[in-house]
Amino acid sequence: MGEVLLITDDPTGSVLFGRSLGPDVSFSIHDLSSSLVPTGRADAVIADVGDLSPRMVERMRSLLAQVRRNAPLVVLLRHESARARLQAVALGATLTLSAPFDPRLIHAALVRSGMPSRGPSLKAVRKAETAREFYQSVFTPERPITPTVIDNGTEFVGQAIQETGIRDWIAAVRQFDDATHQHCLLVAGLAAAFASNLGLGSSERQRLTRAALLHDVGKIHIPASILNKPGKLDDDEMALVRLHPEQGYRILADQGFEQEMLGVVRSHHEMLDGSGYPDRIREHQIPDLVRVVTICDIYAALIERRPYKAPMPGEKAFGILKDMTGRLDQVLVDAFRPVVASLSTDLPQAA
């Protein structure tokens, strides 16, 4: 389940009620008598207010206008009456329920009313936002990109995956509107999770995550209007985008990065059969580090949200990797399977 906002005039009782909804429901309490406005995102709102006097209804209407957005609204009627139901309808209730309340029925009602299966945790959202701020400040043509700066971001992403899990990381990052931020942080998170599943030591995990974080650095010289275009790129735009591996290589070549990092930046679109770009290298010419980042890169592109396409389900995306026999290293693709399994089949579909 996702984040539930409980609006109440009995905070103590609502805490107990919120806990009864189940361990997969994350909830916050807002006392209707407070003048403060809740912050954060709510996937559903439950109004548990005993006093439905005109004054309290008007206060609730004002609050809902600020916090509800498109979330479903469940109004609990502690005192059943035709007037109470009319007031609930006037508030825009998706569903009204009468006492006594069965937490299991309310849980099911939230799902039926359109609440997502489970959104990212607040911790994952905050860490993803911090990672995006890092990316925005570092990956810019106005300042040099150095190994020391990148190591700070690498350590942060790796720690975030350990603390929140890859599932919540992906759910949080997929909320970003900027396609490049979304994609690069998805790839970095997948690489960190892949490294952990492979049982790599801390230095190797950091090496793989660093490579993933850097892989698309060349896109900082591509106009945002192209990167975020809400539709298919034309031939000229695609040709410009396909320059980013070489541009990224040139950006980093004199900044003190080791050759293997430069190799990932330049070669992450190469394929084992020689059909990739920019150098059309093949098989033994493609190092393992490049092969791993390429798998994470393709998978991220398939599951990410874009204006013109919904995120592809994780298992379906993995099937495409499996179908790329001869182009991707299938031993590594098979090793990637536990990462896909950890996402589960009910990964939230970003709107």
Side-chain angles (χ1 to χ4, degrees):
M1 295 287 286
E3 301 287 334
V4 174
L5 174 63
L6 270 169
I7 300 175
T8 181
D9 55 358
D10 178 18
T12 302
S14 288
V15 168
L16 298 175
F17 171 76
R19 290 173 180 167
S20 73
L21 294 175
D24 64 332
V25 175
S26 176
F27 69 93
S28 59
I29 301 291
H30 178 74
D31 186 346
L32 193 55
S33 65
S34 171
S35 61
L36 299 177
V37 176
T39 60
R41 173 188 51 77
D43 295 313
V45 179
I46 297 178
D48 180 18
V49 179
D51 177 12
L52 286 176
S53 64
R55 181 178 64 86
M56 295 298 279
V57 169
E58 185 55 38
R59 177 173 290 192
M60 191 161 14
R61 189 196 312 277
S62 176
L63 178 64
L64 289 170
Q66 298 177 74
V67 303
R68 183 185 175 188
R69 301 180 181 89
N70 295 319
L73 169 64
V74 177
V75 176
L76 305 183
L77 302 178
R78 295 195 172 275
H79 306 289
E80 172 68 35
S81 70
R83 182 179 180 82
R85 285 195 172 276
L86 286 173
Q87 288 170 322
V89 170
L91 288 170
T94 308
L95 180 70
T96 58
L97 296 173
S98 300
F101 307 116
D102 185 334
R104 294 170 299 176
L105 295 180
I106 295 173
H107 189 287
L110 288 173
V111 175
R112 290 197 305 271
S113 66
M115 185 174 176
S117 57
R118 184 170 77 86
S121 66
L122 181 58
K123 185 174 187 179
V125 171
R126 287 174 174 167
K127 286 189 173 294
E129 289 288 351
T130 301
R132 176 165 64 171
E133 291 171 6
F134 166 83
Y135 194 95
Q136 288 174 318
S137 66
V138 171
F139 289 81
T140 170
E142 284 74 40
R143 59 179 294 184
I145 299 172
T146 65
T148 300
V149 171
I150 293 301
D151 282 347
N152 292 335
T154 299
E155 185 175 350
F156 180 84
V157 171
Q159 184 179 12
I161 297 303
Q162 287 185 330
E163 293 181 4
T164 69
I166 185 60
R167 184 188 185 282
D168 271 14
W169 176 263
I170 289 177
V173 170
R174 285 202 313 200
Q175 296 178 5
F176 297 159
D177 293 327
D178 187 287
T180 301
H181 298 157
Q182 180 186 169
H183 178 71
C184 287
L185 293 177
L186 282 179
V187 176
L190 287 167
F194 197 4
S196 294
N197 274 278
L198 289 172
L200 301 181
S202 60
S203 62
E204 289 299 296
R205 291 199 305 270
Q206 188 176 37
R207 184 173 72 108
L208 178 53
T209 307
R210 183 194 303 120
L213 197 60
L214 283 169
H215 83 286
D216 265 351
V217 64
K219 288 183 177 179
I220 65 177
H221 288 302
I222 298 174
S225 59
I226 293 178
L227 295 176
N228 295 318
K229 182 178 179 180
K232 186 177 180 181
L233 301 181
D234 62 33
D235 291 343
D236 290 339
E237 291 167 335
M238 181 60 72
L240 184 60
V241 170
R242 285 169 68 97
L243 294 176
H244 78 270
E246 296 169 275
Q247 291 176 326
Y249 181 89
R250 287 196 294 270
I251 290 169
L252 301 182
D254 298 324
Q255 298 301 324
F257 287 94
E258 56 266 53
Q259 191 59 45
E260 63 179 0
M261 291 295 121
L262 299 178
V264 169
V265 172
R266 185 179 184 93
S267 303
H268 62 277
H269 284 291
E270 302 287 1
M271 297 289 143
L272 297 182
D273 62 358
S275 63
Y277 66 92
D279 302 308
R280 301 185 69 83
I281 58 177
R282 57 191 308 142
E283 295 184 353
H284 66 278
Q285 297 173 297
I286 305 176
D288 286 347
L289 188 62
V290 175
R291 298 182 187 204
V292 171
V293 173
T294 298
I295 289 170
C296 296
D297 184 33
I298 295 172
Y299 189 80
L302 294 171
I303 67 169
E304 65 194 29
R305 174 181 59 84
R306 293 292 180 88
Y308 54 87
K309 78 171 186 72
M312 183 179 292
E315 288 292 340
K316 184 177 180 180
F318 183 72
I320 290 178
L321 298 183
K322 290 293 293 179
D323 287 342
M324 295 179 70
T325 301
R327 304 185 71 200
L328 298 179
D329 187 325
Q330 289 299 314
V331 172
L332 290 174
V333 169
D334 288 339
F336 188 67
R337 182 68 181 83
V339 177
V340 177
S342 71
L343 301 181
S344 79
T345 57
D346 65 339
L347 189 66
Q349 298 296 301

